[in-house]
Amino acid sequence: MNEIYNQNPKFHLAVDCVIFGYEAGELKLLLFHRVIEPCKGEWSLMGGFMRSDESLEDAARRVLFQTTGLENIFLEQIGAFSKVDREPGTRVISVTFVALIRLNEHDRNSVGELGAQWWPVAEIPKLIFDHEEMVAEAMKSLQNRAASELVGRELLPEIFTLTQLRVLYETIFQKSFEPGNFRKKVLSLNILERLNLKNTTESKKGAFYYRFKDGQQVPEGQLLFHVNR
């Protein structure tokens, strides 16, 4: 068996994390200046090589913790990128993960020390290698998830208005939702709890705050919104 292993080529295995955060009505992506060659100094996703004592998920969680200081956040594998020439000089296969975080909870000092920066997804700069393809796949994954369950649990503050939830969805899908229909659809799921507290900045009457009910999820197989491709 060892002979079979020795006869086959060995590759580098990396993880790259597409880290989304949401703030002030904008969906944002965390990028940093690559610190090694090739492409040193250019904009890159957060990533690193998988260690011999790690699973892919462990490696991704390590990268996220080193970057944001956060643990136990939403993390999902979205695909592998394995073009022969995706990195110059050596063969590297990268498995990509998407992460969703609340911007008010991450460690801004850790991000700053890494020279990282949050970019609105509509304004991201040119990225190294095939990282733009990774971001595109991550956006598709996020849209698909938002179509089948409410993603505000990971991106919004613990209490929020329905307007704030709708704006988040408009940002993710890059389209407008009719406020009344959106409200009716979301409330019909019975997974939000209305609080006896209002946000008075959105209207003179004020808008009630909501929060997610513990353990409540969208019924499996139910599609909330259609994803246009």
Side-chain angles (χ1 to χ4, degrees), residues 4-39:
I4 294 175
Y5 288 135
N6 292 333
Q7 288 175 352
N8 285 281
K10 296 179 175 60
F11 310 125
H12 296 288
L13 188 58
V15 295
D16 284 295
C17 295
V18 183
I19 307 173
F20 288 124
Y22 182 73
E23 184 178 54
E26 287 187 317
L27 186 67
K28 297 184 178 182
L29 175 68
L30 189 60
L31 302 173
F32 82 118
H33 287 293
R34 184 173 166 90
V35 296
I36 60 173
E37 296 289 359
C39 302

Side-chain angles (χ1 to χ4, degrees), residues 146-161:
S148 59
E149 59 182 286
L150 290 181
V151 297
R153 195 186 298 267
E154 292 86 10
L155 293 170
L156 291 174
E158 290 190 12
I159 63 172
F160 51 87
T161 67

Side-chain angles (χ1 to χ4, degrees), residues 50-186:
M50 186 180 76
R51 297 171 178 169
S52 60
D53 61 346
E54 290 180 319
S55 67
L56 286 165
E57 289 75 15
D58 289 339
R61 291 189 187 98
R62 171 174 52 82
V63 169
L64 287 171
F65 180 72
Q66 290 172 343
T67 305
T68 67
L70 294 180
E71 297 179 288
N72 302 318
I73 62 178
F74 175 82
L75 182 69
E76 182 179 49
Q77 185 181 138
I78 60 171
F81 292 76
S82 60
K83 290 180 181 178
V84 174
D85 60 349
R86 62 172 302 273
E87 287 198 26
T90 189
R91 184 77 192 277
V92 179
I93 297 172
S94 180
V95 178
T96 304
F97 290 79
V98 60
L100 306 178
I101 73 170
R102 292 173 176 165
L103 278 179
N104 65 317
E105 293 181 350
H106 80 288
D107 189 335
R108 295 183 184 272
N109 290 330
S110 294
V111 168
E113 288 170 2
L114 289 170
Q117 181 177 328
W118 287 101
W119 287 80
V121 293
E123 302 173 12
I124 61 173
K126 180 177 174 56
L127 304 180
I128 65 169
F129 310 147
D130 50 5
H131 286 197
E132 290 175 16
E133 295 178 38
M134 294 178 180
V135 174
E137 286 301 311
M139 280 299 300
K140 290 179 184 178
S141 174
L142 178 57
Q143 289 175 348
N144 287 333
R145 185 163 184 265
S148 59
E149 59 182 286
L150 290 181
V151 297
R153 195 186 298 267
E154 292 86 10
L155 293 170
L156 291 174
E158 290 190 12
I159 63 172
F160 51 87
T161 67
L162 293 182
T163 297
Q164 290 168 342
L165 179 61
R166 176 171 53 81
V167 171
L168 169 62
Y169 264 71
E170 290 176 341
T171 303
I172 291 173
F173 286 100
Q174 293 296 294
K175 70 176 186 179
S176 298
F177 290 94
E178 199 283 319
N181 290 338
F182 183 89
R183 176 187 180 88
K184 182 178 179 181
K185 168 69 78 173
V186 167

